[in-house]
Amino acid sequence: MNVKVGIDRIGFYTPKWYVDMAKLARARNEDPNKYLIGIGQRKQAVIPNSQDAVTMAANAADQIIDDDNRQKIDLILFGTESGIDNSKSAAIYLQHLLKLPNTVQSVELKQACYAMTAGVQLAKDHVLAHADSQVLVIGADIARYGLHTPGEPTQGGGAMAVIISANPAILSIEEGSAHYVADIMDFWRPLYETQALVDGKYSSQQYIDFFQRTFTQYQKQTNLKISELQAIVFHLPYTKMGLKALRAILSKTSEIHANQLLREFEYSRMFNREVGNLYTGSLYLSLLSLLINSESLNAGQKIGLFSYGSGAEGEFYVTTVQPNFKDALNIPIITKILSQREELEIPVYEKMFASQMPLTNTDFETDYQADDAKFYLSGQKNQQRQYRSR
Ligand code: COA
């Protein structure tokens, strides 16, 4: 690959409400350390009925679109498993909300939490074929398992948006990647369900198995030595999951390097620990967390990425840190989103959880007046979602 292609900009959005995981644990008669340490989560985003995959994507992407790249974006790849229509793509709503040109090719991608990575790789190939183009890739989801279920402490939600371009400012994507797919039932959501069905223990085992397979396969394909990786970032349905996968390969490297990978992992889970699961966006929130929080990342260092989507598909690939990458990250906006949130007491969270817009043909008004996000859903009228911006 002669031209460098990769991630040029990164945007992130999560709604402003959260629950404290220690309080949630007490309300569920669990030891708080089960959620804080055993699951590895401190706070969990609560998604109001005025936000869905489209509005969260718009709030994230709005941070990284300006007059410079608006005309260059010619493709939107919208990864989600929280689709709002069985036919029309979420990407079309997004094109309209962001005022992107009508010439932008726009589609939605689905393969559980893997779909944003599919978008990143398809975008890379698109830019290799059209060097002047830029691609907007989205991962936006609401992770819902239900109150009082084992999955409840692994909920959350939000959106990641990246621009893939030539000569990227943040990370270039190395040639090659390793995939593994298998038709398994570890997590799925039939059309009649609003909450996922999951065999949690089985999905956690499969995740580790897929990581080991794709990591080994990638090493075989590219001769990559594990010691060449400064860090490995993971899809984080809950942050302990990534730690378990990382531990599974630490015996393949020196103690010094293993400790370095563990140190970098701690930086890479800081943001996810505060938000919970984003499904498609989780890997890229973890990447953002590493890029912003790590003190030892330098240009030229390699970061491995493991993407996993239940059902299941895994992919391992490698990126290279670009010079002055921190200048391309909008750190004040990300910090503000995470630091200016409001805590909900458990009964209020339960009420908000139950107040989702019903999947019926009746008109509905959301609680949008309480939501100060730029893009929001005001409700449904004549069987059409009413998207607004302020
Ligand atoms: N202090 C510290 N750790 C504690 C603890 C305490 N007081 N009590 C329990 N733990 C640990 C357990 O040892 C376990 O750690 P381990 O996984 O390293 O063995 C962890 O907390 C979770 O406990 P467990 O009893 O296994 O939880 P659970 O049966 O309630 O379910 C999940 C956990 C993750 C399976 C469940 O939340 C789930 O189904 N989530 C959705 C599926 C998912 O995210 N899958 C990931 C792949 S995409």
Side-chain angles (χ1 to χ4, degrees), residues 30-40 113 145 149-155 186-187 197-208 235-238 240-241 244 247 277 279 308-310:
E30 297 281 7
D31 181 344
N33 281 339
K34 174 173 171 183
Y35 290 4
L36 300 172
I37 301 166
I39 300 280
C113 303
Y145 291 94
T149 65
E152 186 180 22
T154 66
Q155 298 181 130
D186 60 332
F187 168 112
L197 306 179
V198 61
D199 185 341
K201 296 265 157 60
Y202 179 54
S203 75
S204 301
Q205 283 162 7
Q206 289 299 313
Y207 174 114
I208 295 172
H235 165 53
L236 293 179
Y238 54 99
K240 176 78 170 290
M241 184 70 253
K244 287 183 192 212
R247 283 180 180 153
N277 198 352
Y279 286 164
Y308 178 81
S310 290

Side-chain angles (χ1 to χ4, degrees), residues 55 59 100 109 145 222 233 349 355 389:
T55 56
N59 286 313
L100 289 169
L109 303 172
Y145 291 94
T222 62
V233 291
Y349 142 69
S355 74
S389 65

Side-chain angles (χ1 to χ4, degrees), residues 14-78:
T14 191
K16 69 173 182 176
W17 291 284
Y18 72 89
V19 282
D20 178 283
M21 294 302 279
K23 289 187 187 169
L24 182 62
R26 282 187 210 103
R28 300 293 179 252
N29 292 320
E30 297 281 7
D31 181 344
N33 281 339
K34 174 173 171 183
Y35 290 4
L36 300 172
I37 301 166
I39 300 280
Q41 295 300 134
R42 219 166 74 85
K43 293 177 182 170
Q44 183 167 282
V46 181
I47 316 303
N49 59 13
S50 50
Q51 292 292 322
D52 67 9
V54 170
T55 56
M56 292 193 296
N59 286 313
D62 189 52
Q63 295 162 15
I64 57 170
I65 291 174
D66 57 23
D67 291 341
D68 178 48
N69 63 9
R70 192 178 302 277
Q71 297 305 323
K72 294 182 186 151
I73 295 171
D74 62 0
L75 176 60
I76 302 172
L77 295 170
F78 194 127

Side-chain angles (χ1 to χ4, degrees), residues 214-286:
T214 53
F215 183 64
T216 310
Q217 183 61 26
Y218 187 92
Q219 287 189 293
K220 270 193 203 139
Q221 279 171 16
T222 62
N223 293 320
L224 175 92
K225 292 193 203 70
I226 183 172
S227 59
E228 292 174 59
L229 294 173
Q230 172 66 22
I232 303 177
V233 291
F234 294 85
H235 165 53
L236 293 179
Y238 54 99
T239 74
K240 176 78 170 290
M241 184 70 253
L243 183 59
K244 287 183 192 212
L246 179 61
R247 283 180 180 153
I249 57 150
L250 288 182
S251 62
K252 292 173 189 255
T253 193
S254 67
E255 198 181 329
I256 291 176
H257 184 239
N259 286 334
Q260 176 198 309
L261 291 176
L262 285 166
R263 244 186 340 266
E264 298 288 28
F265 177 77
E266 290 305 320
Y267 291 118
S268 76
R269 71 161 152 173
M270 286 169 84
F271 290 169
N272 303 67
R273 204 205 287 272
E274 299 294 305
V275 180
N277 198 352
L278 270 70
Y279 286 164
T280 44
S282 292
L283 167 63
Y284 297 89
L285 179 61
S286 179

